[in-house]
Amino acid sequence: MKQYLHILQKEISKVSEADLFVPVKETHIDSLDLVVIRVALEKHFELEIPDVVWFNYQTLAEALEYFHKNKGLLKTNQNTEKTDIVHSEDLEIRMPQMANSALSENWLLKFLGDTHWQLITKGFQKKSSEFKDDDGNRLYSTFIRINYSVSPLCQFLENEIIDFNSSIKCFGNNTFLSRVIGNCDEKKISASLMTTFSVRECTDNNKISKCEPKVRTNKISQLSKTPLLLNDYRLLRKGLIDEISSDYGIFQINDDILFSCEYSINPYYDINGVGLLYFASYPIISDKCFDEYYQKNDNLQTIYRDIFYFANCNSSEKIIFTLNSIEEIENGLKTTVSLYRKSDNQLLSKILTIKQKIE
């Protein structure tokens, strides 16, 4: 099967011939690498491998043998028509959407997440509670990265209308990327969101693993190549990237500790409806802890976030906040923050932020 090694190395350069014959769980290849590999093989051989077959293989050589023997066959999923999945909504800013005389960032994140989830359910033609794996376990749409730019939040005023337009694509059968654009007169919101499906082991939020839905109908259009949003995430999770590019310049990625403090989870605010640490709480926890370090009387408004999600935690956990870098830029601050589970020092999130000083 080594004649097909170049297909894998084109996507993940460190895959070696030896990796083909070793159980994947014993290699450096993780679940997101496998998504990239699977999509690359399906496109090369013009053949979609059934989930029950793919997940039964222990090594890449076994999967390659399947593609080799079945190359030239029609795609197994050819009867599922793909279409553009979109959503539009005009939303009035009222008190529930506001906080501190500005648009609430916490509300905005929840709205963006709900929009993303609506797009997925529309593509699968299923309710959110109906997503299950082959064993009947409930699946959750787990955010792994959210990136957004927004006009200063204080510029959004009560009773103004935000015109939201959104769309979604998928990469493989388990990775979904949406784009949400909001316009409010001259003010703008631009967000990219990425999720995978996960299953929780028992009731332990520390043990959440990637999984694929049992649902076979998926009308969401496929991306033709690995999206940058996913590739940067995959490399950062493996520690193979030391900088992230943005419209605001380069964020250096390091583990420096300029300041650190402990945060106790508020189960009445930070936990979502299924008992997980709410994805919308991560940046708010970061801001709360950052305020303990940065005690200047500046009116700082978020205008950019790039949030990488790596793990979740139980409501009884403590979170360790670490400020890795802070830089004064023109009329603002640029920060990189890490959040950890205190119990095992597991990295929960990296959060890259630009805040603008408002006079």
Side-chain angles (χ1 to χ4, degrees):
M1 293 297 102
K2 63 181 181 180
Q3 69 265 36
Y4 300 122
L5 181 61
H6 69 281
I7 304 172
L8 312 186
Q9 291 178 332
K10 183 178 179 181
E11 303 295 334
I12 303 172
S13 60
K14 289 191 175 183
V15 175
S16 66
E17 183 178 343
D19 290 329
L20 300 181
F21 305 95
V22 178
V24 173
K25 63 183 180 181
E26 297 177 15
T27 70
H28 56 86
I29 299 168
D30 64 18
S31 58
L32 286 180
D33 293 335
L34 286 174
V35 172
V36 173
I37 288 172
R38 180 178 178 176
V39 172
L41 290 174
E42 289 180 335
K43 291 185 181 300
H44 178 83
F45 289 98
E46 297 186 342
L47 171 70
E48 291 184 7
I49 184 170
D51 291 344
V52 67
V53 176
W54 175 260
F55 289 112
N56 188 52
Y57 292 141
Q58 301 298 311
T59 69
L60 290 174
E62 293 173 318
L64 287 172
E65 182 68 21
Y66 172 89
F67 282 104
H68 176 73
K69 288 182 176 180
N70 294 280
K71 61 183 178 181
L73 297 181
L74 293 176
K75 292 186 177 183
T76 58
N77 202 30
Q78 63 177 347
N79 293 324
T80 302
E81 180 183 354
K82 302 297 183 180
T83 186
D84 291 331
I85 305 297
V86 298
H87 179 72
S88 297
E89 182 173 352
D90 289 339
L91 188 141
E92 181 183 0
I93 301 173
R94 299 189 294 271
M95 281 300 170
Q97 287 79 37
M98 301 184 70
N100 299 313
S101 302
L103 187 68
S104 167
E105 186 177 4
N106 185 255
W107 169 84
L108 177 60
L109 271 166
K110 292 178 180 179
F111 175 83
L112 294 174
D114 183 56
T115 298
H116 180 91
W117 192 218
Q118 285 187 61
L119 291 167
I120 291 177
T121 59
K122 188 174 181 179
F124 279 85
Q125 299 179 321
K126 295 286 183 181
K127 295 179 180 179
S128 59
S129 60
E130 296 175 339
F131 283 83
K132 301 181 185 298
D133 66 9
D134 287 334
D135 295 323
N137 299 308
R138 169 73 186 272
L139 293 184
Y140 303 96
S141 186
T142 304
F143 285 95
I144 60 176
R145 188 178 182 185
I146 298 178
N147 177 296
Y148 55 94
S149 298
V150 59
S151 300
L153 296 170
C154 63
Q155 294 181 3
F156 292 85
L157 305 178
E158 185 180 359
N159 300 130
E160 289 187 324
I161 303 296
I162 306 177
D163 176 25
F164 284 104
N165 291 280
S166 56
S167 60
I168 195 166
K169 302 287 186 182
C170 60
F171 183 71
N173 298 321
N174 194 37
T175 304
F176 301 87
L177 301 97
S178 68
R179 182 78 170 155
V180 184
I181 303 296
N183 291 291
C184 179
D185 295 329
E186 300 300 316
K187 302 175 286 292
K188 295 186 179 299
I189 299 167
S190 177
S192 297
L193 302 92
M194 180 167 61
T195 60
T196 60
F197 279 116
S198 299
V199 62
R200 180 169 51 182
E201 298 181 19
C202 300
T203 57
D204 191 349
N205 293 348
N206 294 356
K207 298 178 180 179
I208 296 176
S209 55
K210 301 289 186 295
C211 196
E212 301 229 357
K214 183 178 181 180
V215 185
R216 302 306 179 202
T217 301
N218 175 9
K219 294 191 173 184
I220 302 174
S221 299
Q222 283 275 352
L223 291 168
S224 60
K225 60 181 181 179
T226 306
L228 181 62
L229 202 70
L230 173 61
N231 199 49
D232 280 353
Y233 174 88
R234 185 176 61 82
L235 294 176
L236 181 58
R237 191 170 78 165
K238 286 174 161 291
L240 299 177
I241 190 171
D242 56 12
E243 62 180 33
I244 298 291
S245 298
S246 77
D247 291 339
Y248 296 90
I250 301 294
F251 284 85
Q252 297 296 328
I253 304 300
N254 59 62
D255 295 320
D256 293 348
I257 303 176
L258 304 181
F259 172 77
S260 184
C261 68
E262 185 177 295
Y263 178 85
S264 297
I265 293 173
N266 181 343
Y268 304 104
Y269 184 80
D270 295 327
I271 302 299
N272 69 9
V274 293
L276 296 166
L277 181 62
Y278 216 141
F279 76 92
S281 295
Y282 287 62
I284 308 307
I285 291 171
S286 173
D287 280 359
K288 175 68 169 60
C289 294
F290 179 75
D291 285 346
E292 294 188 28
Y293 169 83
Y294 192 84
Q295 299 186 3
K296 297 181 182 179
N297 190 28
D298 291 334
N299 182 8
L300 296 173
Q301 297 281 317
T302 301
I303 60 171
Y304 178 80
R305 294 271 199 196
D306 200 352
I307 311 167
F308 296 80
Y309 299 89
F310 301 110
N312 208 284
C313 63
N314 296 311
S315 60
S316 58
E317 287 272 0
K318 303 286 187 180
I319 294 177
I320 301 300
F321 164 91
T322 300
L323 177 63
N324 302 126
S325 69
I326 181 170
E327 177 185 350
E328 290 197 11
I329 59 176
E330 183 179 358
N331 199 33
L333 290 178
K334 179 179 179 182
T335 61
T336 302
V337 159
S338 300
L339 300 181
Y340 297 89
R341 263 193 325 241
K342 183 180 179 181
S343 61
D344 58 4
N345 203 40
Q346 169 67 46
L347 179 64
L348 297 175
S349 180
K350 283 276 188 184
I351 303 174
L352 318 181
T353 303
I354 299 288
K355 286 186 178 287
Q356 182 174 313
K357 294 180 181 180
I358 304 297
E359 301 297 333

